PDB file of all heavy atoms in Angstrom:
ATOM      1  N   PRO A  17      -9.846   4.686 -10.577  1.00  0.00           N
ATOM      2  CA  PRO A  17      -8.910   4.726 -11.707  1.00  0.00           C
ATOM      3  C   PRO A  17      -8.867   6.118 -12.331  1.00  0.00           C
ATOM      4  O   PRO A  17      -9.153   6.293 -13.512  1.00  0.00           O
ATOM      5  CB  PRO A  17      -9.520   3.703 -12.671  1.00  0.00           C
ATOM      6  CG  PRO A  17     -10.995   3.800 -12.415  1.00  0.00           C
ATOM      7  CD  PRO A  17     -11.171   4.178 -10.973  1.00  0.00           C
ATOM      8  N   THR A  18      -8.500   7.100 -11.528  1.00  0.00           N
ATOM      9  CA  THR A  18      -8.513   8.474 -12.034  1.00  0.00           C
ATOM     10  C   THR A  18      -7.138   8.909 -12.522  1.00  0.00           C
ATOM     11  O   THR A  18      -6.906  10.082 -12.740  1.00  0.00           O
ATOM     12  CB  THR A  18      -9.020   9.441 -10.947  1.00  0.00           C
ATOM     13  OG1 THR A  18      -8.426   9.058  -9.706  1.00  0.00           O
ATOM     14  CG2 THR A  18     -10.514   9.393 -10.815  1.00  0.00           C
ATOM     15  N   ALA A  51     -15.338   7.075  -9.995  1.00  0.00           N
ATOM     16  CA  ALA A  51     -14.544   8.053 -10.753  1.00  0.00           C
ATOM     17  C   ALA A  51     -15.435   8.979 -11.578  1.00  0.00           C
ATOM     18  O   ALA A  51     -15.058  10.111 -11.890  1.00  0.00           O
ATOM     19  CB  ALA A  51     -13.561   7.322 -11.663  1.00  0.00           C
ATOM     20  N   LEU A  52     -16.657   8.509 -11.926  1.00  0.00           N
ATOM     21  CA  LEU A  52     -17.545   9.315 -12.766  1.00  0.00           C
ATOM     22  C   LEU A  52     -18.122  10.537 -12.037  1.00  0.00           C
ATOM     23  O   LEU A  52     -18.740  11.385 -12.668  1.00  0.00           O
ATOM     24  CB  LEU A  52     -18.707   8.450 -13.295  1.00  0.00           C
ATOM     25  CG  LEU A  52     -18.326   7.354 -14.287  1.00  0.00           C
ATOM     26  CD1 LEU A  52     -19.564   6.534 -14.666  1.00  0.00           C
ATOM     27  CD2 LEU A  52     -17.690   7.947 -15.542  1.00  0.00           C
ATOM     28  N   VAL A  54     -16.500  12.840 -11.020  1.00  0.00           N
ATOM     29  CA  VAL A  54     -15.748  13.955 -11.611  1.00  0.00           C
ATOM     30  C   VAL A  54     -15.694  13.656 -13.107  1.00  0.00           C
ATOM     31  O   VAL A  54     -15.558  12.495 -13.502  1.00  0.00           O
ATOM     32  CB  VAL A  54     -14.315  14.013 -11.024  1.00  0.00           C
ATOM     33  CG1 VAL A  54     -13.479  15.058 -11.738  1.00  0.00           C
ATOM     34  CG2 VAL A  54     -14.373  14.298  -9.522  1.00  0.00           C
ATOM     35  N   ARG A  55     -15.859  14.683 -13.944  1.00  0.00           N
ATOM     36  CA  ARG A  55     -15.906  14.447 -15.390  1.00  0.00           C
ATOM     37  C   ARG A  55     -14.634  13.751 -15.873  1.00  0.00           C
ATOM     38  O   ARG A  55     -13.534  14.188 -15.535  1.00  0.00           O
ATOM     39  CB  ARG A  55     -16.064  15.792 -16.113  1.00  0.00           C
ATOM     40  CG  ARG A  55     -16.360  15.656 -17.576  1.00  0.00           C
ATOM     41  CD  ARG A  55     -17.832  15.494 -17.942  1.00  0.00           C
ATOM     42  NE  ARG A  55     -18.610  16.684 -17.652  1.00  0.00           N
ATOM     43  CZ  ARG A  55     -19.847  16.661 -17.173  1.00  0.00           C
ATOM     44  NH1 ARG A  55     -20.430  15.507 -16.927  1.00  0.00           N
ATOM     45  NH2 ARG A  55     -20.506  17.777 -16.950  1.00  0.00           N
ATOM     46  N   GLN A  56     -14.798  12.657 -16.644  1.00  0.00           N
ATOM     47  CA  GLN A  56     -13.653  11.893 -17.136  1.00  0.00           C
ATOM     48  C   GLN A  56     -13.646  11.896 -18.666  1.00  0.00           C
ATOM     49  O   GLN A  56     -14.702  11.972 -19.297  1.00  0.00           O
ATOM     50  CB  GLN A  56     -13.746  10.424 -16.676  1.00  0.00           C
ATOM     51  CG  GLN A  56     -13.794  10.206 -15.192  1.00  0.00           C
ATOM     52  CD  GLN A  56     -12.483  10.545 -14.487  1.00  0.00           C
ATOM     53  OE1 GLN A  56     -11.411  10.424 -15.064  1.00  0.00           O
ATOM     54  NE2 GLN A  56     -12.570  10.982 -13.237  1.00  0.00           N
ATOM     55  N   VAL A  57     -12.487  11.777 -19.246  1.00  0.00           N
ATOM     56  CA  VAL A  57     -12.380  11.563 -20.690  1.00  0.00           C
ATOM     57  C   VAL A  57     -12.595  10.058 -20.893  1.00  0.00           C
ATOM     58  O   VAL A  57     -11.820   9.246 -20.359  1.00  0.00           O
ATOM     59  CB  VAL A  57     -10.975  11.977 -21.210  1.00  0.00           C
ATOM     60  CG1 VAL A  57     -10.840  11.683 -22.702  1.00  0.00           C
ATOM     61  CG2 VAL A  57     -10.719  13.449 -20.900  1.00  0.00           C
ATOM     62  N   PRO A  58     -13.655   9.653 -21.622  1.00  0.00           N
ATOM     63  CA  PRO A  58     -14.006   8.225 -21.681  1.00  0.00           C
ATOM     64  C   PRO A  58     -12.851   7.288 -22.045  1.00  0.00           C
ATOM     65  O   PRO A  58     -12.643   6.274 -21.369  1.00  0.00           O
ATOM     66  CB  PRO A  58     -15.118   8.179 -22.732  1.00  0.00           C
ATOM     67  CG  PRO A  58     -15.738   9.537 -22.664  1.00  0.00           C
ATOM     68  CD  PRO A  58     -14.627  10.493 -22.344  1.00  0.00           C
ATOM     69  N   LEU A  61     -10.483   6.975 -19.140  1.00  0.00           N
ATOM     70  CA  LEU A  61     -11.030   6.199 -18.023  1.00  0.00           C
ATOM     71  C   LEU A  61     -10.879   4.698 -18.298  1.00  0.00           C
ATOM     72  O   LEU A  61     -10.470   3.926 -17.431  1.00  0.00           O
ATOM     73  CB  LEU A  61     -12.506   6.559 -17.770  1.00  0.00           C
ATOM     74  CG  LEU A  61     -13.190   5.788 -16.648  1.00  0.00           C
ATOM     75  CD1 LEU A  61     -12.496   5.997 -15.310  1.00  0.00           C
ATOM     76  CD2 LEU A  61     -14.666   6.181 -16.530  1.00  0.00           C
TER      77      LEU A  61
END
Side-chain angles (χ1 to χ4, degrees):
T18 42
L52 293 177
V54 174
R55 190 86 67 218
Q56 301 291 330
V57 177
L61 179 60

